[in-house]
C-alpha cells in the first residue's frame, strides 16, 4: 500500500482486518490482518500512524499507516473498553464502559499504566478531541448526553447537548466549531455548535449509521452504514450525500488518512483534491470554485472600532482559535479595495479561513491598509480612511 493522503481506513469485523481504499472507493487493500477482535480506530495524520484497539488481546496498538512497525501502546484494557479512540498531540484517549471512565495514555507507549481522565460516568461509548479549544468531548448513552471537560480533566464536566441512547460515534470539527454524531435509532446524523447551540439533524433516512470520520479541510463527513455494508460521505452541511464503498461485509470503525494540503486549478492536482475524481480542463473552473467554497471557512466572529484616521477590525483568539493557530503557523494574504477588503489565512496543514467585507461604509486607502497577527491574541486589520474626519457608524452599509 502507498501511504499518503486520500485514504479511508476501516475495520472489517467479519474478517478481523483493518482495510483501506482511496477516498474515491478505488484500490481496496488489506493493511493489517490476523487481528483478534479489533474495535476502535484512529489516524495520527501528522505522524502518519495508525492506532487501533483490540478487545481480544485487550490492547491498544499502533503501526505505520502502511501497516508496518506494529507496537503495543496500552495493555490490559477492560472489557468493552476502547471501542472509540481519540488522539491529541501526545495522548490516545478512549471510553472505558466497564469502569465508567474516560482513559488516556501516551501515544508513544511509554506509560506504565493508563490514567483515568474523567471518572464516575454512566455509560460512556465515544470520545473526541477539540484540538484548538483544549477540550475533550464524550458521548454517554446512559445519560443520553454529550459532555465535555478541559483536556487535562480539570473542573466539573459540562453537559453540551442531548445525545440519545442509540448514538455511538461523535467527531469534533475544530475548524468550524461543530460537533457531529450519529444515531442509529433515529437513522440520522446530527450536528451542533461546540457549546451545544443550534442542534439539528443534517442527514436523515440512513440505514443504521454508526462510525463517523471527518476530513476537516475538505469539509467532508464520512460514515458507516452497517446494515447495507457501506461507507458514505457528504459535505459538512449535509448536502451531496453519496456512496464511497459498498458490499463491505461487516464494516466497523472508521478513520481517514492525511488530507491534501493545497488546492489547485490544474486538472491533475484538482482531481486529487476532489478525492480522486478525474477533472478535465473544461470543468476545472466550475469544480475548483466548489472545492474552494467547501475548503475555505468563513470568519464570522469579529469586532471593529473607529480610531481617528483608521478603522480597526479584530479577530480574537478566543472566538477564532483555529484561524489564529493557522495564522501563527502559516500565512496571511490581503486584498484591499476602496470599498471592500478580504483577509485569507492559510495554515501549514492547508486549513484556510477568510474574512470578506464588501460595501464598506466609506472609502479607504488600499495602499495604506495592513494586517498583522499577535500570536495567541488576535489578528488586527487596519483600514486607512480616505477621509480621516469621517466617523464610521457601521463597518459596512450592506448585509452580505
Amino acid at each position: 500500500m502507498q501511504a499518503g493522503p486520500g485514504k479511508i481506513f476501516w475495520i472489517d469485523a467479519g474478517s478481523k482486518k483493518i482495510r483501506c481504499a482511496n477516498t474515491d472507493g478505488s484500490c481496496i487493500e488489506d493493511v493489517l490482518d490476523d487481528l483478534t477482535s479489533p474495535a476502535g480506530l484512529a489516524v495520527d495524520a501528522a505522524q502518519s500512524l495508525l492506532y487501533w484497539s483490540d478487545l481480544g488481546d485487550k490492547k491498544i496498538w499502533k503501526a505505520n499507516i502502511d501497516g508496518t512497525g506494529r507496537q503495543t501502546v496500552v495493555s490490559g484494557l477492560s472489557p468493552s473498553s476502547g471501542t472509540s479512540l481519540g488522539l491529541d498531540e501526545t495522548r490516545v484517549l478512549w471510553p472505558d464502559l466497564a469502569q465508567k471512565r474516560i482513559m488516556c495514555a501516551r501515544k508513544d507507549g511509554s506509560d506504565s499504566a493508563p490514567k483515568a481522565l474523567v471518572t464516575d460516568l454512566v455509560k460512556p461509548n465515544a470520545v473526541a478531541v477539540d484540538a484548538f479549544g483544549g477540550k475533550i468531548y464524550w458521548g454517554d448513552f446512559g445519560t443520553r448526553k454529550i459532555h465535555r471537560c478541559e483536556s487535562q480533566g480539570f473542573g466539573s464536566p459540562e453537559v453540551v447537548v442531548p445525545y440519545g441512547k442509540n448514538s455511538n460515534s461523535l467527531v469534533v470539527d475544530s475548524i468550524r466549531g461543530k460537533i457531529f454524531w450519529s444515531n442509529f435509532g433515529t437513522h440520522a446524523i446530527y450536528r451542533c455548535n461546540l457549546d451545544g447551540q443550534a442542534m439539528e439533524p443534517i442527514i436523515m433516512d440512513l440505514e443504521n449509521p454508526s462510525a463517523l470520520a471527518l476530513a476537516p479541510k475538505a469539509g467532508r463527513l464520512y460514515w458507516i452504514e452497517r446494515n447495507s455494508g457501506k461507507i458514505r460521505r457528504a459535505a459538512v452541511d449535509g448536502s451531496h450525500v453519496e456512496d464511497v464503498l459498498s458490499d463491505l461485509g461487516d464494516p466497523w470503525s472508521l478513520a481517514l488518512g492525511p488530507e491534501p494540503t493545497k488546492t489547485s486549478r490544474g486538472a491533475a492536482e484538482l482531481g486529487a483534491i476532489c478525492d480522486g475524481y478525474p477533472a478535465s480542463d473544461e470543468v476545472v473552473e466550475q469544480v475548483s470554485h466548489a472545492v474552494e467554497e467547501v475548503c475555505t471557512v468563513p470568519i464570522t466572529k469579529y469586532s471593529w472600532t473607529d480610531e481617528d484616521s483608521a478603522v480597526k477590525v479584530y479577530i480574537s483568539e478566543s472566538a477564532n482559535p483555529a484561524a489564529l493557530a493557522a495564522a501563527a503557523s502559516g500565512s496571511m494574504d490581503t486584498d484591499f479595495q476602496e470599498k471592500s477588503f478580504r483577509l485569507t489565512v492559510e495554515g501549514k496543514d492547508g486549513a484556510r479561513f477568510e474574512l470578506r467585507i464588501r460595501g464598506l461604509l466609506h472609502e479607504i486607502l488600499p495602499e495604506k491598509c495592513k494586517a498583522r497577527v499577535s500570536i495567541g491574541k488576535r489578528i488586527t486589520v487596519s483600514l486607512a480612511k480616505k477621509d480621516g474626519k469621517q466617523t464610521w457608524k457601521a463597518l459596512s452599509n450592506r448585509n452580505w
Side-chain angles (χ1 to χ4, degrees), residues 94-351:
W94 66 95
D96 188 322
L97 185 59
Q99 298 189 40
K100 302 178 181 181
R101 298 174 176 179
I102 302 297
M103 306 293 293
C104 66
R106 289 186 176 274
K107 291 192 296 187
D108 61 7
S110 61
D111 281 340
S112 58
K115 300 174 183 178
L117 185 67
V118 188
T119 60
D120 300 320
L121 306 181
V122 183
K123 293 181 178 180
N125 69 340
V127 66
V129 176
D130 176 9
F132 296 116
K135 293 185 183 293
I136 306 298
Y137 291 76
W138 67 92
D140 192 313
F141 70 92
T143 63
R144 303 185 184 184
K145 300 287 193 300
I146 293 175
H147 306 257
R148 71 178 179 184
C149 71
E150 298 297 324
S151 61
Q152 299 303 317
F154 302 135
S156 300
E158 302 174 89
V159 173
V160 179
V161 73
Y163 180 58
K165 68 176 183 178
N166 296 315
S167 296
N168 59 9
S169 182
L170 66 90
V171 293
V172 170
D173 186 347
S174 298
I175 291 178
R176 295 168 185 80
K178 300 289 184 182
I179 311 169
F180 299 86
W181 68 99
S182 60
N183 188 307
F184 61 84
T186 59
H187 311 287
I189 294 173
Y190 296 81
R191 75 173 177 185
C192 69
N193 297 336
L194 292 178
D195 61 2
Q197 299 297 310
M199 173 184 166
E200 61 179 340
I202 58 167
I203 309 170
M204 296 178 284
D205 300 320
L206 304 177
E207 294 185 54
N208 194 15
S210 55
L212 298 177
L214 179 72
K217 294 193 292 291
R220 282 187 172 143
L221 188 67
Y222 291 73
W223 68 93
I224 286 173
E225 293 186 26
R226 293 192 67 198
N227 287 358
S228 57
K230 291 181 178 180
I231 294 176
R232 309 183 75 190
R233 69 179 173 189
V236 289
D237 63 0
S239 63
H240 302 96
V241 176
E242 60 182 345
D243 293 350
V244 179
L245 291 157
S246 57
D247 301 322
L248 293 180
D250 191 8
W252 189 253
S253 192
L254 184 66
L256 297 176
E259 290 186 82
T261 57
K262 296 286 183 181
T263 57
S264 170
R265 294 186 184 273
E269 289 175 288
L270 183 63
I273 295 298
C274 293
D275 291 341
Y277 289 114
S280 66
D281 289 331
E282 289 78 7
V283 299
V284 163
E285 189 66 22
Q286 177 183 353
V287 177
S288 62
H289 281 306
V291 171
E292 290 183 353
E293 183 179 356
V294 171
C295 294
T296 301
V297 179
I299 296 171
T300 58
K301 296 179 181 179
Y302 58 89
S303 59
W304 68 278
T305 60
D306 185 336
E307 300 185 7
D308 297 326
S309 62
V311 171
K312 302 287 184 70
V313 180
Y314 301 106
I315 302 166
S316 70
E317 195 274 342
S318 59
N320 302 275
L324 266 290
S329 67
S331 61
M332 294 196 305
D333 179 65
T334 55
D335 179 18
F336 296 105
Q337 304 293 328
E338 288 186 348
K339 293 280 286 184
S340 68
F341 77 90
R342 174 184 55 78
L343 168 75
T344 303
V345 179
E346 186 164 355
K348 284 186 176 180
D349 63 353

Side-chain angles (χ1 to χ4, degrees), residues 61-83:
W61 297 81
K62 71 175 180 178
N64 296 322
I65 210 166
D66 62 0
T68 62
R70 189 185 307 195
Q71 300 177 37
T72 300
V73 178
V74 177
S75 299
L77 292 181
S78 302
S80 301
S81 181
T83 54

Side-chain angles (χ1 to χ4, degrees), residues 26-107:
S26 64
C27 300
I28 297 177
E29 301 176 77
D30 294 342
V31 181
L32 289 157
D33 54 17
D34 298 325
L35 306 180
T36 308
S37 184
L41 188 64
V43 168
D44 183 340
Q47 301 297 321
S48 293
L49 293 173
L50 189 66
Y51 289 77
W52 73 97
S53 59
D54 195 308
L55 302 184
D57 58 26
K58 299 180 181 179
K59 293 181 178 181
I60 294 176
W61 297 81
K62 71 175 180 178
N64 296 322
I65 210 166
D66 62 0
T68 62
R70 189 185 307 195
Q71 300 177 37
T72 300
V73 178
V74 177
S75 299
L77 292 181
S78 302
S80 301
S81 181
T83 54
S84 167
L85 298 181
L87 302 173
D88 63 14
E89 287 189 1
T90 61
R91 303 175 300 176
V92 56
L93 303 97
W94 66 95
D96 188 322
L97 185 59
Q99 298 189 40
K100 302 178 181 181
R101 298 174 176 179
I102 302 297
M103 306 293 293
C104 66
R106 289 186 176 274
K107 291 192 296 187

